[in-house]
Amino acid sequence: MELGEILIHRYALRPTQAPNRLSSKALREGALLRVYFPHLKSFGHADLFVWPELGDATLPQELKALKDVPFRAGAAALAWAEYEARAVAQGLSLYDATRTIPSHQTLTGRDEVRASSAKLKISAADVRQWKEVEAYCLRHPGVRWRFDFNALFEHFEDAQKFWQKVSPELKARTDFLEDLTGPALMHSEELHQLVAPTRLALDRGLPEIEDLLWVIKPTTFAPDYLFDEVRAFPGQVVLTSNMDHPLGQLQALHFAQRLHKVAPKQIFGTGLCTQDVYETHAASHWLETRDQALWPTVSSPIGWPVHLELEKLSWSAL
């Protein structure tokens, strides 16, 4: 990949609550990239948003490495920027207004549920106070639940003890348990039998068995590489945002639309609507959640639907 000028636009997002059990409510910083690709004679844009507490390099490390040997998140962002630059050079839009992708609501606390399915982040404190969590869930009788544990339980016995706490009613309304344990145990037949017929979902690596749902944040992979990997995967996937900037959410939405066009049954579900995880910020108005789906509020005939908004931003040299 031949790179020309790299420009950045820094931003910061303030969570309304701790985004997961390993993160705090501290301000989270990210950077939008604007990259010129000489072979395409075009600029492309992408979001660079990291979670160091989940294994990413820090944002300063990622930005410093972009011109040399990028780290994982930076390399993915450059690939997404090239992806848009190619679309712009070809006069193509990266948004299909005719293809609606339903999304669950992502909850970081006990917020109002406005969707028919919701994913709730679970902490050790939640497990200790499980009766309260369960009462909250059961107050929403029409909602299907998806729980994300961020590998909370280290041993099978701990996961077993927790699952025994869950009422039959809530078990029957639970779609999947994400990262209930570490990756090795998530592949074990013993754990699958414990929670069956509830599904297990893995967000930490590529599942090695078809029964595991593969939770994917598209912005963390090169888009064309990821598309080929997903099509080769025999199981189903859950596509989510990286809980990032609206541009990153639109990148994830585009990937979901692209996959849905050729393999709709491979998508078990999506978690694309995550803008409410943060307080209102300068780009909040670029998106809205309507009819349990993510919609851009602006449009562009080429590239990302927010391409013209990106052109208006202030950019600085890397």
Side-chain angles (χ1 to χ4, degrees):
M1 181 191 302
E2 182 184 0
L3 299 177
E5 184 180 34
I6 301 178
L7 303 175
I8 63 172
H9 173 83
R10 293 179 179 271
Y11 66 85
L13 304 176
R14 185 173 296 282
T16 57
Q17 302 182 67
N20 56 63
R21 76 175 187 88
L22 299 174
S23 303
S24 71
K25 286 183 64 177
L27 196 67
R28 305 200 67 91
E29 296 185 341
L32 304 183
L33 305 185
R34 175 176 168 85
V35 186
Y36 184 73
F37 296 90
H39 62 291
L40 298 170
K41 298 180 180 179
S42 179
F43 280 95
H45 304 87
D47 185 25
L48 177 54
F49 191 74
V50 295
W51 295 87
E53 63 271 48
L54 300 180
D56 290 338
T58 65
L59 183 63
Q61 289 171 330
E62 291 280 2
L63 291 174
K64 184 178 180 180
L66 283 180
K67 289 185 177 181
D68 188 13
V69 180
F71 291 111
R72 183 184 62 84
L78 290 174
W80 275 103
E82 185 185 32
Y83 189 83
E84 194 209 14
R86 188 182 305 119
V88 170
Q90 296 173 356
L92 301 176
S93 169
L94 295 176
Y95 174 67
D96 182 356
T98 68
R99 193 172 299 278
T100 303
I101 307 294
S103 169
H104 63 235
Q105 182 180 349
T106 298
L107 304 168
T108 54
R110 295 168 203 174
D111 304 317
E112 177 189 358
V113 181
R114 302 183 299 276
S116 59
S117 62
K119 183 162 79 171
L120 183 62
K121 306 282 186 172
I122 301 298
S123 67
D126 291 325
V127 171
R128 289 193 297 269
Q129 303 165 3
W130 185 252
K131 286 186 178 180
E132 295 178 21
V133 175
E134 183 155 312
Y136 162 77
C137 293
L138 295 179
R139 282 200 299 271
H140 303 86
V143 175
R144 300 288 305 176
W145 289 96
R146 302 161 181 193
F147 299 108
D148 183 0
F149 296 84
N150 282 107
L152 178 61
F153 300 113
E154 185 175 353
H155 303 291
F156 172 82
E157 291 75 18
D158 298 325
Q160 182 182 45
K161 184 177 179 180
F162 163 74
W163 193 238
Q164 289 171 345
K165 289 184 179 182
V166 183
S167 71
E169 182 181 358
L170 186 55
K171 286 178 179 177
R173 289 171 44 202
T174 299
D175 285 336
F176 63 76
L177 307 173
E178 181 179 334
D179 291 334
L180 182 63
T181 68
L185 190 53
M186 288 288 287
H187 284 84
S188 72
E189 182 178 353
E190 186 179 33
L191 190 63
H192 284 260
Q193 290 178 347
L194 171 68
V195 303
T198 301
R199 302 286 299 272
L200 292 173
L202 186 69
D203 183 27
R204 300 188 175 208
L206 173 64
E208 298 174 9
I209 56 175
E210 184 177 342
D211 289 344
L212 264 178
L213 295 169
W214 184 12
V215 181
I216 302 170
K217 300 175 177 66
T219 57
T220 63
F221 297 87
D224 290 329
Y225 161 81
L226 178 61
F227 190 80
D228 291 341
E229 288 292 302
V230 171
R231 296 299 294 123
F233 178 60
Q236 290 182 292
V237 299
V238 178
L239 302 173
T240 76
S241 86
N242 196 26
M243 293 176 67
D244 46 11
H245 189 276
L247 176 58
Q249 292 176 59
L250 288 170
Q251 292 170 223
L253 173 60
H254 167 76
F255 189 89
Q257 289 184 327
R258 180 180 172 186
L259 183 60
H260 186 271
K261 184 176 181 179
V262 298
K265 292 184 179 179
Q266 194 173 10
I267 302 176
F268 181 90
T270 76
L272 304 171
C273 302
T274 56
Q275 61 269 39
D276 291 343
V277 171
Y278 299 104
E279 296 179 1
T280 301
H281 55 87
S284 294
H285 67 283
W286 290 6
L287 301 174
E288 66 176 349
T289 299
R290 179 163 34 94
D291 299 327
Q292 300 182 49
L294 185 68
W295 298 83
T297 59
V298 294
S299 63
S300 169
I302 56 172
W304 306 122
V306 294
H307 184 85
L308 298 179
E309 301 301 311
L310 292 166
E311 296 280 351
K312 298 174 186 176
L313 296 178
S314 59
W315 297 92
S316 59
L318 179 61

